[in-house]
Amino acid sequence: MADREALINQLAASMGAGGYAQTKYEESRYDPDTGTLYCNGQIITRNTIDLAEGFYKNMQAKCDLKTPEGRQMAAIYQVGIEGISRLRRAEK
């Protein structure tokens, strides 16, 4: 079983996953050099992060700020936008 896991980890590393094997046992981390987030055993690429940011901004723009519920949802989406913004600041 250990050989299978090693093979999978080697394949992941050869495809650019870097230290993926360690993420199963470590806390989440962000690699500012590649723009990749390693979280809960998943590799979240810069492209996926860009898509998430676009999603949050799009959904926030649809919120009706005239209602308390709309303002609350806009604030929730802002949390996601701010989180992504903080990741990006780590790249610099």
Side-chain angles (χ1 to χ4, degrees):
M1 192 61 134
D3 291 330
R4 179 177 179 267
E5 187 173 322
L7 179 63
I8 291 169
N9 289 333
Q10 288 172 1
L11 178 61
S14 72
M15 296 183 75
Y20 175 69
Q22 290 81 15
T23 61
K24 292 189 297 184
Y25 309 106
E26 295 179 358
E27 290 186 25
S28 297
R29 65 182 177 84
Y30 181 70
D31 183 347
D33 295 331
T34 63
T36 304
L37 177 63
Y38 299 89
C39 181
N40 296 326
Q42 296 181 17
I43 300 170
I44 303 172
T45 64
R46 177 178 284 147
N47 185 52
T48 302
I49 294 169
D50 291 343
L51 290 171
E53 181 180 38
F55 171 80
Y56 287 130
K57 287 181 176 182
N58 184 41
M59 294 304 291
Q60 186 182 46
K62 294 179 180 181
C63 291
D64 181 2
L65 301 179
K66 296 175 186 169
T67 67
E69 296 83 5
R71 287 191 296 273
Q72 182 179 23
M73 287 309 301
I76 290 169
Y77 291 127
Q78 185 62 42
V79 170
I81 295 166
E82 181 61 25
I84 292 169
S85 176
R86 288 177 179 262
L87 283 177
R88 294 225 166 93
R89 283 196 288 263
E91 290 181 6
K92 298 174 183 173

